[in-house]
Amino acid sequence: MLRNVLGRFLTESPLIHTNVRHKASIQAAVSVFTSVRSFTDVKDETKQAFDTSLLEFLVCPLSKKPLRFEVTTNELINDELGIAYPIVDGIPNMIPQEARLVQKESNPSAQG
């Protein structure tokens, strides 16, 4: 929408035409704005992969403990708290309210 408004402003505004001597520069500016695609124009059909090198820096925002990447569910898991943070389009959603609770794996040797 912004590119349409700006393009119309540059081509239809009488003030710009009277103050600018070179129409070619106006047309070049308009063509730049009309050739730029918006983020909402086309959705990428390929799913972005999570960069596992980020695990070195990412920690749980609640416990400040390291997270584990689960490939099958595409989530970052905090095993201590039993919380799974979703990864959407390769970007981890680290908002605690958006996380889901996962069942902790029970250790059979711990049951006495």
Side-chain angles (χ1 to χ4, degrees):
M1 183 172 141
L2 176 63
R3 70 175 179 216
N4 292 340
V5 171
L6 191 54
R8 287 181 61 201
F9 177 74
L10 288 175
T11 57
E12 296 175 6
S13 175
L15 292 177
I16 289 192
H17 288 293
T18 57
N19 293 332
V20 176
R21 296 180 185 179
H22 303 286
K23 267 192 172 177
S25 61
I26 291 175
Q27 291 172 347
V30 170
S31 66
V32 168
F33 286 113
T34 57
S35 66
V36 175
R37 285 188 1 194
S38 170
F39 287 114
T40 58
D41 284 350
V42 176
K43 292 272 187 185
D44 289 335
E45 303 214 359
T46 60
K47 192 173 186 181
Q48 294 290 329
F50 174 67
D51 185 6
T52 55
S53 66
L54 292 174
L55 289 174
E56 182 180 335
F57 306 105
L58 293 175
V59 295
C60 176
L62 299 174
S63 68
K64 309 299 187 243
K65 302 285 182 177
L67 298 166
R68 174 178 56 87
F69 176 56
E70 182 61 43
V71 179
T72 57
T73 59
N74 200 33
E75 295 174 320
L76 295 177
I77 310 287
N78 179 333
D79 291 317
E80 183 180 286
L81 296 178
I83 297 175
Y85 297 99
I87 298 174
V88 181
D89 295 330
I91 302 170
N93 183 348
M94 304 293 286
I95 301 171
Q97 292 82 0
E98 299 291 323
R100 70 177 183 91
L101 293 176
V102 293
Q103 292 183 357
K104 294 182 186 179
E105 295 178 11
S106 60
N107 189 352
S109 63
Q111 297 175 1

